[in-house]
Amino acid sequence: MYLTETHLQVRDMARDFADQVIRPVAEELDREEKFPAGLYDEMAKLGLFGIGVPEALGGPGFDTLTYALVMEELSRGYASVADQCGLLELISTLLVRHGTAVQQGLLGDILAMRTKVAYCITEPEAGTDVSGIRTTAVADGDGWVLNGGKIWIHNAPVADLGFVLARTDKDAGNRGMSIFIVDLHAVGVTRGPKEHKMGQRASQVGGLDFKDVRLGAGALLGAAGRGFHMMMSVLDKGRVGIASLAVGIGQAGLEAAVDYAGQRRQFGKAISEFQGVQWLLADMAKDIEAARLLVQSAAVKIDRGEDATKACSMAKCFAGDMAVARTADAVQVFGGSGYIRGFEVERLYRDAKITQIYEGTQQIQRMIIARELLKKGARV
């Protein structure tokens, strides 16, 4: 089996944490749209943030497959919590790959959740089309001046630092973007109101506006003009993370549906004895397992240093579609109860939808898969 003893130990730790700590409070977090700071403190102590950060930089130094396993288990508990793990994995990966020694020194507080971070890309005219970025950073002496705005940014209402993609050369296209580490408490930074989302409601999302925000030379992450390429370099890992999250949502739905089908009685017998319900459960189980295997295969390709772009897009696309379809089946098994707030499957159905949208829509994933097929052929 390709899962090592270490993989299994970390997975089981994350599973126990999800069952014992996350799931009991998931409904409350969803209802109150609460940022679970105390829960994140516990996760930080267990080393569940920055899973791929090398030990020399204060992380556990685990591989992408371990990250996928942790994301799935945390998402079984509540996808909003797994989202925080995914966000910190992307930020820490950027810092490990491109940060100066001083910038990498931020990792300790970030992974301990003493410093909360936001990954600031999306704008009104730049969602899937990142080339539409209008936020600018203009060189000024030995620093920069930042102007513009971002929307739908994860952690924006609570973050201390923003990793902001801005245009530094308006004539250079994708080669004219850079990433800056911005103090979100600085003069000129304004936060918009917290958005109220359909699902994953404990994830804090909002807007950020920058007006003549002065940045020192040390705010630039990596080289000027390489921001787009740096951002793209972590997308494969990001898609594995979201795909794993989608698998966790689906798995939670299956577990709830199997338990309910064994308890709910109609026409004198448990509904699990009816073939129609059995087939729903069977289809849920096979699709969840197929998605899990796609995700883990993509993670292994990353860890081996192979070209993983197609595999990651396939995993994200399939897992996101699976999560939406199969949580709908879980609602169907519950019948009218599944449509009522307070039943887990109602929340899971809402939580699943965003997995078809963020980290690249399903339409973009299909474009990438087709592009890779036409460029490199159909053989595996």
Side-chain angles (χ1 to χ4, degrees):
M1 188 176 182
Y2 57 85
L3 295 182
T4 66
E5 187 63 30
T6 298
H7 287 133
L8 295 174
Q9 288 175 353
V10 177
R11 182 200 67 184
D12 290 348
M13 176 185 67
R15 179 176 293 176
D16 289 344
F17 186 80
D19 287 337
Q20 297 170 19
V21 182
I22 301 175
R23 295 187 87 164
V25 298
E27 180 187 348
E28 176 189 354
L29 294 177
D30 175 76
R31 182 179 64 253
E32 299 184 7
E33 303 185 25
K34 181 188 297 184
F35 184 81
L39 192 155
Y40 291 147
D41 289 341
E42 293 185 58
M43 289 171 61
K45 291 174 184 176
L46 291 173
L48 292 173
F49 293 129
I51 291 165
V53 174
E55 293 182 63
L57 292 176
F62 292 135
D63 58 14
T64 310
L65 181 54
T66 306
Y67 169 55
L69 295 169
V70 169
M71 284 291 284
E72 178 183 338
E73 295 302 334
L74 294 178
S75 184
R76 275 183 61 252
Y78 185 23
S80 279
V81 172
D83 244 356
Q84 192 73 210
C85 180
L87 171 65
L88 265 64
E89 191 68 19
L90 291 188
I91 293 295
S92 62
T93 300
L94 284 171
L95 282 170
V96 168
R97 291 181 182 177
H98 306 289
T100 64
V102 172
Q103 291 169 341
Q104 289 174 351
L106 299 169
L107 282 167
D109 284 342
I110 290 173
L111 300 188
M113 284 297 288
R114 290 187 293 268
T115 297
K116 293 179 280 295
V117 293
Y119 194 26
C120 309
I121 297 175
T122 305
E123 300 181 9
E125 300 300 323
T128 298
D129 180 15
V130 179
S131 65
I133 290 288
R134 294 183 178 178
T135 294
T136 61
V138 177
D140 183 61
D142 62 352
W144 305 80
V145 177
L146 180 71
N147 281 282
K150 303 290 181 177
I151 60 171
W152 303 333
I153 303 302
H154 188 183
N155 273 4
V158 297
D160 303 299
L161 290 180
F163 286 67
V164 180
L165 184 66
R167 189 169 294 284
T168 47
D169 185 341
K170 62 182 179 62
D171 299 319
N174 290 341
R175 296 182 181 276
M177 301 183 198
S178 306
I179 294 177
F180 295 89
I181 304 174
V182 180
D183 178 1
L184 297 183
H185 303 291
V187 174
V189 179
T190 305
R191 302 172 200 255
K194 182 177 78 173
E195 302 287 356
H196 299 284
K197 302 184 273 87
M198 179 173 78
Q200 298 194 27
R201 290 155 57 96
S203 299
Q204 309 292 296
V205 170
L208 293 165
D209 286 309
F210 309 105
K211 182 173 177 57
D212 296 330
V213 180
R214 303 198 67 84
L215 307 174
L220 177 65
L221 181 67
R226 296 295 298 171
F228 177 83
H229 305 279
M230 290 158 55
M231 180 197 71
M232 295 298 288
S233 74
V234 300
L235 274 184
D236 281 350
K237 192 173 191 179
R239 286 167 180 161
V240 164
I242 298 306
S244 303
L245 180 148
V247 173
I249 293 173
Q251 180 66 33
L254 175 63
E255 292 171 14
V258 169
D259 288 346
Y260 186 80
Q263 298 168 15
R264 173 67 169 165
R265 298 184 66 80
Q266 290 286 278
F267 305 102
K269 62 176 73 173
I271 63 171
S272 60
E273 297 183 44
F274 294 109
Q275 188 180 69
V277 173
Q278 291 175 359
W279 284 9
L280 277 176
L281 298 176
D283 283 342
M284 290 173 70
K286 68 178 177 61
D287 284 1
I288 292 164
E289 184 65 12
R292 178 178 292 118
L293 293 174
L294 274 173
V295 170
Q296 294 181 3
S297 175
V300 168
K301 285 181 182 293
I302 292 176
D303 289 333
R304 290 176 177 170
E306 300 175 11
D307 182 355
T309 296
K310 182 180 73 173
C312 293
S313 285
M314 290 172 66
K316 195 272 181 186
C317 188
F318 186 86
D321 287 349
M322 175 280 296
V324 172
R326 296 317 177 193
T327 53
D329 287 342
V331 170
Q332 193 70 22
V333 170
F334 273 70
S337 296
Y339 202 66
I340 302 299
R341 287 285 179 96
F343 283 84
E344 183 183 24
V345 293
E346 183 271 341
R347 173 178 57 78
L348 293 171
Y349 188 31
R350 290 186 285 108
D351 288 346
K353 179 59 189 175
I354 191 62
T355 65
Q356 293 181 311
I357 299 171
Y358 62 178
E359 212 67 34
T361 65
Q362 306 301 70
Q363 290 72 29
I364 285 293
Q365 304 312 317
R366 287 175 168 88
M367 288 174 62
I368 293 169
I369 295 164
R371 181 194 68 199
E372 293 293 299
L373 287 171
L374 295 172
K375 182 168 62 175
K376 300 173 184 176
R379 294 192 67 177
V380 177

